[in-house]
Amino acid sequence: MPRPTHQRLPWAQLLRRGAERRPPGPPRFADVARETLEDTRSRRLRAEAGARLRARRARGRAEEPAWEAMRAEAGEARERALADLEHHLLSFEKAAETRGTRVHWARDPAEVRGIVTDLVVGTGARDAVLTSSATLRETGVARALAGAGVRPHESALADLIAALADDPPTAESRASGRHDRARARETLLRHLPGAPSDLPDDPVVLVEAARDHLRDRLLETAVAITGANFLVAETGSVVLMETEGNARMAATSADTLIVVAGIDKIVASRSDLGVLLRTWSRSATGDPLVPVVTEWGGPDRDGDGPRDVHVVLVDAGRSRALAAPAGRDALRCVHCTACLDVCPVFERVGARPYGSVRPGPIGAALTPLLEGTATARTASLPFASTLCGACADVCPVGVDVPEVLLELRARVVDERRANPVPTPESVAMRSAEWVLGDERRYAAAQATAIRWARLLARAGRIRRLPGLLGRWTEARDLPAPPTEPFRAWWRRRRAADGR
Amino acid sequence: MRIGLFVACVTDSLFPATARATLHLLERLGHQVLFPQGQTCCGQVHHTSGYRREAMTLAARFADVFSGCDLVVTPSASCAAMVRRAYPRFATRDPAVARAPRVLELTEFLVDVADTVDVGAYFPYRVTYQPTCQAPRSPRGDERPLRLLRAVRGLELVELPRAGECCGFGGAFAWKNADTSVAIVADRLRDIGQSGAEVVCASDDACLTQISGALSRLRGAVRALHIAEVLAATEAGPAPAGGR
Ligand code: SF4
């Protein structure tokens, strides 16, 4: 076997100063995380909210005597849906159209924007209510509507606040509890017509003020655009789960309902839906069932609900994700957000470093699956995890997030192998493999490394490592390695024993 | 039964005292232990960094080196997890990997195989335990290390707040996301401080590199030790030399 150039010390590449090259494009996870870690107030709020939610969910799971069995069943339900997705989608289309719902197919966000804008403009409406939905944010429907002269109104409290504050869609608008109260109050005061100026930052009062504002909009608007939690293939119906009930109110009072849903939202049957509703609720809020569950079977002929119902089925990377290794496992996700609140990384850095509408551990897995790993940002996401597995422990549908991340890490590295100039890391890893392929080479490299490390040490501690390794010693020491590694001690003992 | 000892690279180079303590403890309990000298690495670092091809080569080598053993014991919980979780997947592509014998983490071996909870140790300190996330079993709810520690004479076991939480090491994560990694361990040190422990122990030197590294930089008043060193200590003699 040919000897690589850095045979003496496989880590030599990592010791090179300036070895790190910053690739162009959107920032990597670590770059944004460095900024968000500075926001100590948000960190504290996230930690507190996380602890509260963890406790609630733990209580919820404890109340469910057969939680593990339920979880397995829910996982199987998701597996059934995804294993035969095309078939179920076609069944959904057929059943939905039979009941008068119009089904549209969109390959990418641009097609979603086109379809939705055409539908809304076609009704002649100048306003539309949008409910909180990652798919809506992901596809940029609100902005497209605004561009077409339709005013989009956000219906969920957190989204409203985010919209008023003109936050980008990546802002942490997942739950009002995660928002900084004082900031939310300022935003409301600035933007809500008629909000009292002595509005306290008490969340209950804030919610009321915002809700008053919302209700008027919801009841006035002729077009409602929502996401969906589940699409039932068997019945062609759309299921929406909420804690506030705004989407139901908006959709009920609208003439036209447009549902924008990823193709992964399919469930095969109503019995599969049943177990998913229960596990989802326990995982999302800890309750046996979330307060508002709405199932839309199709247009309402008695005039109680929307007269026109459209469902836009969105691919936007989902079939690509499904075809990738571990992609199907990740797409099981039912977006309950339980994994976010147990994640030590998310708790510290928040949503922004994930750079997409899907934060947290599952976001780190789904975003590269949906968008590919070609950019610095998406390629950094699979590495944004300690692989501690807390996410997999709580997931109600058995997504093994660390396994998916490992699969994606291998993909990122394999893609880099094709580059003509290897990265310093890859040279180091490949030389390390060569060194570790033989115990004599290993022992020799170890002896060299120990000598060098001991030269760097003062009073038994290494306070500064060179090059890329120096990231460790920015805030941590490394003990000076003892002169004699275990294997050398073992050999000496054996020789002394004459064994 | 031929019991092989596997010593991970971090332990071998940085914390050889852990490996000596493990050997000492197992021999004291009457087990004969071999140290196959061909051993180098289980491939965990490559695997978790995305270098799967290299990890598989090292896995095949590991399987070959230990193929003469009926059972392998290691004081590294994450390496045991690597062999138990990733190797079966590797084996579907490279049958050579399938030859690897069963690998148990030290506390699993003691409690499950040796059926020993009281190892005859004496360690008169207040101790807390940090579970290793990447252990072969979920660390949240693994009672083995705690049972072993409770049986140690003189030892006062104190609870670690938010016991199941990660220390923030995560292998390559500690470098690639150094800031976040440090933010996590900073909170962990606060938990350890709150526990009132004089010694924090764990079943993996990787976690301990992180915790002791931060403690050392801050000149913390808590010592980090591998659980093997705690269990190896007796009235007759302290653990083989070397704290951290
Ligand atoms: S991956 Fe996370 S968000 Fe998705 S279902 Fe599992 S716990 Fe919920």
Side-chain angles (χ1 to χ4, degrees):
Chain A
M1 192 169 170
R3 306 183 90 194
T5 41
H6 299 284
Q7 74 280 36
R8 278 190 35 103
L9 192 55
W11 308 283
Q13 278 289 319
L14 291 178
L15 299 174
R16 257 181 40 200
R17 251 169 223 294
E20 190 184 10
R21 268 168 295 157
R22 176 82 41 99
R28 295 170 313 178
F29 184 91
D31 300 327
V32 187
R34 194 168 302 133
E35 291 168 19
T36 59
L37 283 168
E38 302 285 333
D39 186 353
T40 50
R41 175 142 207 218
S42 294
R43 276 173 70 179
R44 191 164 283 272
L45 288 168
R46 255 194 319 273
E48 286 165 12
R52 264 198 311 277
L53 279 160
R54 280 197 297 273
R56 262 184 85 156
R57 289 179 181 130
R59 227 176 301 130
R61 286 195 298 267
E63 277 168 30
E64 206 62 72
W67 171 249
E68 285 305 324
M70 224 167 97
R71 210 176 149 209
E73 232 184 284
E76 281 160 24
R78 290 300 294 140
E79 181 57 28
R80 252 195 302 284
L82 295 171
D84 208 358
L85 188 60
E86 200 179 313
H87 164 77
H88 292 306
L89 281 167
L90 293 173
S91 314
F92 173 82
E93 182 183 35
K94 203 161 149 222
E97 299 230 315
T98 312
R99 298 171 74 166
T101 300
R102 285 283 317 279
V103 177
H104 311 259
W105 301 78
R107 265 170 305 191
D108 52 39
E111 285 191 6
V112 177
R113 291 193 291 269
I115 293 167
V116 175
T117 312
D118 286 351
L119 287 172
V120 178
V121 170
T123 66
R126 307 302 307 271
D127 295 85
V129 166
L130 271 74
T131 65
S132 172
S133 147
T135 314
L136 287 179
R137 284 199 298 276
E138 168 195 353
T139 49
V141 166
R143 208 157 294 173
L145 286 176
V150 178
R151 260 184 309 172
H153 302 286
E154 308 283 345
S155 82
L157 187 62
D159 282 0
L160 171 80
I161 293 168
L164 292 176
D166 204 21
D167 285 355
T170 51
E172 299 182 60
S173 50
R174 285 195 318 111
S176 51
R178 263 182 247 279
H179 260 270
D180 187 319
R181 286 175 193 175
R183 281 180 209 162
R185 178 183 164 277
E186 277 164 35
T187 309
L188 283 175
L189 270 182
R190 257 187 289 126
H191 296 274
L192 286 190
S197 61
D198 58 348
L199 202 65
D201 67 1
D202 177 352
V204 179
V205 183
L206 281 180
V207 166
E208 274 317 308
R211 201 165 270 161
D212 285 349
H213 172 79
L214 277 173
R215 291 262 150 88
D216 301 342
R217 297 273 178 235
L218 297 183
L219 297 172
E220 274 164 15
T221 311
V223 180
I225 307 172
T226 72
N229 289 91
F230 299 108
L231 307 169
V232 188
E234 185 184 36
T235 52
S237 51
V238 175
V239 179
L240 247 155
M241 307 176 72
E242 309 168 78
T243 45
E244 291 172 33
N246 289 327
R248 171 188 275 187
M249 192 189 292
T252 315
S253 54
D255 298 325
T256 305
L257 170 65
I258 303 170
V259 178
V260 179
I263 53 173
D264 56 307
K265 295 291 167 69
I266 283 282
V267 298
S269 63
R270 285 197 59 96
S271 68
D272 280 359
L273 176 67
V275 66
L276 286 167
L277 292 185
R278 275 164 44 226
T279 39
W280 190 90
S281 298
R282 287 294 194 192
S283 295
T285 65
D287 300 327
L289 203 60
V290 285
V292 190
V293 181
T294 315
E295 183 169 6
W296 298 100
D300 201 308
R301 297 195 175 82
D302 311 326
D304 275 353
R307 271 177 278 121
D308 289 311
V309 178
H310 298 268
V311 175
V312 184
L313 295 172
V314 185
D315 187 312
R318 285 157 180 83
S319 16
R320 160 186 181 165
L322 209 53
R328 199 203 282 175
D329 296 336
L331 279 179
R332 280 179 172 205
C333 173
V334 290
H335 308 283
C336 70
T337 72
C339 58
L340 276 66
D341 297 301
V342 295
C343 179
V345 176
F346 177 79
E347 181 173 319
R348 271 66 186 197
V349 305
R352 202 152 65 81
Y354 296 90
S356 91
V357 298
R358 295 183 184 78
I362 186 63
L366 275 176
T367 304
L369 279 166
L370 294 170
E371 297 178 17
T373 43
T375 71
R377 174 178 63 92
T378 53
S380 73
L381 288 175
F383 297 91
S385 163
T386 67
L387 305 176
C388 79
C391 45
D393 282 358
V394 296
C395 179
V397 289
V399 179
D400 191 342
V401 179
E403 273 306 324
V404 180
L405 293 176
L406 282 171
E407 197 62 59
L408 282 163
R409 289 179 183 190
R411 177 165 142 190
V412 170
V413 167
D414 283 344
E415 281 166 3
R416 285 194 187 139
R417 286 183 207 269
N419 292 350
V421 184
T423 61
E425 180 196 274
S426 110
V427 172
M429 293 302 267
R430 275 158 36 200
S431 353
E433 182 216 356
W434 180 79
V435 166
L436 293 166
D438 179 274
E439 67 272 22
R440 283 171 301 266
R441 289 198 291 261
Y442 169 77
Q446 183 184 43
T448 312
I450 289 175
R451 258 201 311 282
W452 276 100
R454 290 181 65 84
L455 283 175
L456 292 170
R458 294 282 173 277
R461 297 176 163 96
I462 300 171
R463 300 188 54 113
R464 191 135 156 221
L465 285 165
L468 279 185
L469 293 176
R471 294 263 188 77
W472 177 270
T473 43
E474 275 170 17
R476 292 157 289 200
D477 290 344
L478 200 68
T483 38
E484 190 176 46
F486 177 77
R487 61 185 55 231
W489 175 84
W490 169 274
R491 226 176 296 122
R492 199 160 51 82
R493 186 178 90 144
R494 264 194 17 154
D497 287 358
R499 275 192 273 169
Chain B
M1 188 165 56
R2 294 165 64 84
I3 302 171
L5 172 67
F6 172 58
V7 176
C9 49
V10 179
T11 302
D12 186 23
S13 307
L14 279 182
F15 305 112
T18 299
R20 289 201 300 271
T22 305
L23 190 69
H24 185 84
L25 173 65
L26 292 172
E27 288 178 348
R28 188 176 83 211
L29 295 172
H31 305 286
Q32 263 230 0
V33 183
L34 326 158
F35 179 78
Q37 297 213 40
Q39 64 178 279
T40 54
C41 173
C42 68
Q44 187 192 174
V45 176
H46 285 89
H47 182 51
T48 55
S49 304
Y51 293 81
R52 183 170 295 175
R53 214 183 287 168
E54 290 78 4
M56 281 179 61
T57 313
L58 294 172
R61 188 168 190 283
F62 181 99
D64 181 49
V65 167
F66 285 99
S67 59
C69 301
D70 301 310
L71 190 71
V72 177
V73 180
T74 178
S76 166
S78 60
C79 295
M82 165 76 189
V83 177
R84 303 240 294 268
R85 287 200 202 135
Y87 279 27
R89 284 166 203 253
F90 290 176
T92 61
R93 278 190 264 168
D94 180 0
V97 179
R99 292 172 62 207
R102 188 163 171 74
V103 177
L104 294 178
E105 180 270 316
L106 175 64
T107 66
E108 282 184 310
F109 173 81
L110 293 173
V111 176
D112 298 355
V113 178
D115 202 14
T116 313
V117 172
D118 184 351
V119 297
Y122 171 73
F123 194 75
Y125 297 95
R126 201 177 311 128
V127 175
T128 196
Y129 179 76
Q130 158 77 43
T132 295
C133 304
Q134 293 173 41
R137 290 197 170 75
S138 168
R140 291 160 273 275
D142 186 5
E143 280 284 314
R144 291 175 188 77
L146 302 179
R147 286 174 60 196
L148 288 160
L149 289 172
R150 275 189 210 109
V152 174
R153 269 177 298 289
L155 187 150
E156 182 192 346
L157 184 65
V158 291
E159 203 178 313
L160 183 62
R162 310 194 299 161
E165 280 230 352
C166 180
C167 70
F169 178 70
F173 181 84
W175 277 267
K176 286 188 201 269
N177 286 283
D179 299 282
T180 311
S181 174
V182 168
I184 298 172
V185 79
D187 290 344
R188 220 58 198 118
L189 290 197
R190 189 194 55 207
D191 294 335
I192 292 168
Q194 266 174 22
S195 76
E198 301 164 273
V199 172
V200 54
C201 68
S203 300
D204 198 309
D205 281 326
C207 313
L208 290 166
T209 309
Q210 168 90 342
I211 294 172
S212 72
L215 279 169
S216 160
R217 175 61 57 92
L218 299 167
R219 299 293 188 267
V222 181
R223 207 151 62 110
L225 280 181
H226 194 283
I227 192 170
E229 291 175 89
V230 174
L231 298 177
T234 58
E235 277 106 333
R244 59 194 79 183

